[in-house]
Amino acid sequence: MLDKTYRPAEVEPRHYELWEQAGAFAADTVSNRQPYTIMMPPPNVTGSLHMGHALTFTLQDVLIRYRRMTGRDALWQPGTDHAGIATQMVVERQLEARKVTRHDLGREDFIKRVWEWKAESGGTITRQLRRLGASPDWAKERFTMDEGLSAAVRKVFVTLHRQGLIYRAQRLVNWDPKLHTAISDLEVEQREVKGHMWHLKYPVDGMPGVFITVATTRPETMLGDSAVAVHPEDERFAALVGKMVRLPICDRLIPIVADEYSDPAKGTGAVKITPAHDFNDFQVGSRHGLPLINIFDRDARANDAVPEGYRGLDRYDARKKVVAEFEALGLLEKIEPHTHMVPYGDRSGVVIEPWLTDQWFVDAATLAKPAIEAVETGKTRFVPRHWENTYYEWMRNIQPWCISRQIWWGHQVPAWYGPDGKFFVEETEAEAAAAARAHYGRDVDLTRDSDVLDTWFSSALWPFSTLGWPEQTPELARYYPGDVLVTGFDIIFFWVARMMMMGIHFMGDVPFKDIYIHALVRDEKGQKMSKSKGNIIDPLELIDKYGCDALRFTLAALAAQGRDVKLAESRVEGYRNFATKLWNAARFCQMNECRPVAGFDPGSVKETVNRWIVAKTAETADKVGAAIGNYRYDAAALGAYHFVWGGFCDWYLEFAKPIFNGTDEAAKAETRATAAWVLDQILHILHPLMPFITEELWGQLGRRDGMLMLRPWPQLDGLAAAAAENEMDWVVRVISAVRAVRSEMNVPPAAQVDLLVAGLSEVKRGWAVTHADLIRRLARLAGFEPQAGAERLAQASSHGAAQMVVDEATLVMPLGDVIDVDKERSRLAKEIARLEGEIAKVDKKLGNADFLARAPEEVVAEQRERRADWSDSMAKLKEALERLSGA
């Protein structure tokens, strides 16, 4: 017999260990089944499970478990990412605590230390994924610094270089002055800062007393100005285009150029152009052939390119000195308060400097063209579809991709430099030495490039490098391209687009057919989770408290396409109650001797109630399966929920009780077998969403071989039973209508009331007679008259009654002897008035343009949700008031 209480903490680790030991997650490369592949977005090896992980890995696991059950050879390829900067920082902090730097250790010993740390702590995230019930093929787990994946990185780099698609150049990058490395846009955090706008006057050369005023938030960068730009159609400056200005402090002549980048309505209409320290200015400089004057060193201190008095100054000290000198020269027109966005390194916490430096770049524009075409032609589709627009916007405006990083942990650039600075790009040092020998005509000493590659470079190869490429392995032939990638929208450009580019270029095919983009997990108020707000929800704490299945089911139920997930702990608690409901229903079935019957044919049942539940079960299996297949996780979860809680637990088992307690042995046997069969199908249907409780119940409710997770998905064709469904659905509607009115009218639960029915069709009168006992019991009725006359109805209504309409029939419930009708009318009217007042207040706010402009997006959304909830409640109360016919 099942225990009275389901204990997830005991059940979950036991089943996970059994699944893993049995190899239940493994794909079968030599199988003749159709393959199905999901590439796991590799979490950082430094990481631990957060709610974003919980969502994306739950959704992937739902898909992979479902496809396994439908007979596909399912590979969910797992692995972790070496996370260059993040991992290096962790180890450097450990060294710092011992007052040691990586430079004290040297590169080789430092890398050795990182590998040691990875061996000690790198399994945290994968252990936590197991707690989430994730079922990837762990035997195939890869790491982006594995030798096989490293070989793929070297091969791709060398190939692209030989094709002219990787090159070394001096361009602007996001430079982190603390970490001393270029970083990707994803690692740059834009923060709103209250600063100033300085208006600086530049004297026009040869025109005494004439100045052109520029407005800037970074006066220190004027030391590297190459030009002043004005809009070509701005008449204020038309006469000055082509003139030169004498740059104060530096005493250099720089031109005034016409360029559409300058916005006449912004600032003074004239902008200073510093091509070496601003990405937009770099583009202007390229268009006009302006010199690139780099005025900072790697610490963001002024270098030798600036006047002597500024050399060695920190950029902010240089700012103060520039402003003071402009003021002394009478060239500071004004200073205004100005709020603007400033780029910070998300790991270092310092302001990022656009910096001109020699780096390795990928010609992303060339690689992007076939990747754009693949989405345009439908070879790869985005779900939801609107994310295509984001993809196109990024890909059609793509810039050269800086792939070098000035750190030590990562894939070292496979380039070696000769004594004259010429470099040789090869897969191995021996090949580089041979190339150098051929070039110089003798052996020379070579120095390897000290940079490593951007983490996104190696992860761009993930869909094929994990399968053994560049070797032509059976896995590569079978599992590439993948079926779907499940990921968040924030890395469409950084990862998804780059996998598309690399996959098409090296494999000749897209890496995946579908890209399912899920939304963010926010708190219950719709706010983004952050440490500063103190609203972070830890998935592991929720698993400890409510069980893994409850968290997974919550995330799936809330994962509506295109909408952020608003997660409240109460929702997880609610779905824990759903798990309890399922457990109790299984226990009830067990107590009533509902056991699986070998050879049971659900299509042969005779009892109406059994034909009804069999048909509903088949319908649910189809709907849930189709919803999962179409990435409608919310529809799958809610469809299963409503059937299990409502259809099976609340209705079918209640309908079955009189049969279980009756004397018709044939009906009893059939109903027991049907209940057991339906419960088995429920366990199958719920398994992808709630793997642990379903596996536990499967094992406890019958003696059978094998695991539920390896059982086939229910194929329940030919079980529709329209007549039985119509009949029992009508019974459900009648009872539901009565229960709703009882609740609305505050009828005491113990009170027995009458129900008078008029206008029933002949068929439904027959149903009413057949199921009269059920209706009386479940609606808590003292009397039930399926064919009440007009006089009887009028008499009942005259003392206060609630009226309902179900299909073509009118249902009248006399309430005069049960509740104070006048008092109830008054209560309803007061509540309606209160809600009208609340709605009016919200309407006033939402009608205020100033409120809409200033209020945070989540606050406006919350107000709209409240209004919708109040409007729904008010509509129901008005219906209830109308139902009360008066004395």
Side-chain angles (χ1 to χ4, degrees), residues 61-82:
D61 194 57
V62 169
L63 281 177
I64 211 75
R65 286 179 183 272
Y66 169 69
R67 292 300 182 184
R68 237 184 241 123
M69 294 175 82
T70 60
R72 301 284 290 272
D73 172 31
L75 170 65
W76 186 10
Q77 173 63 50
T80 51
D81 190 278
H82 65 279

Side-chain angles (χ1 to χ4, degrees), residues 228-277:
V228 172
V230 296
H231 195 277
E233 296 175 8
D234 193 333
E235 294 179 359
R236 294 173 296 174
F237 304 110
L240 295 179
V241 173
K243 304 279 187 189
M244 306 293 279
V245 300
R246 186 161 294 280
L247 189 64
I249 301 175
C250 300
D251 198 30
R252 282 190 286 109
L253 288 175
I254 61 174
I256 299 172
V257 300
D259 195 281
E260 290 187 352
Y261 167 63
S262 179
D263 183 352
K266 198 173 175 183
T268 66
V271 290
K272 57 188 283 306
I273 301 300
T274 320
H277 293 287

Side-chain angles (χ1 to χ4, degrees), residues 834-884:
R834 186 188 72 79
L835 290 177
E836 283 174 339
E838 296 287 2
I839 290 169
K841 286 180 199 171
V842 173
D843 284 346
K844 189 175 180 182
K845 275 186 184 176
L846 295 176
N848 183 333
D850 192 47
F851 169 77
L852 294 176
R854 292 174 181 273
E857 186 182 331
E858 60 265 20
V859 171
V860 176
E862 187 180 5
Q863 292 292 318
R864 288 193 170 122
E865 280 182 24
R866 281 185 183 174
R867 192 201 186 284
D869 290 343
W870 285 332
S871 184
D872 288 345
S873 298
M874 192 169 71
K876 288 175 183 172
L877 291 169
K878 284 182 175 178
E879 281 179 23
L881 190 57
E882 287 170 12
R883 284 196 186 107
L884 277 178

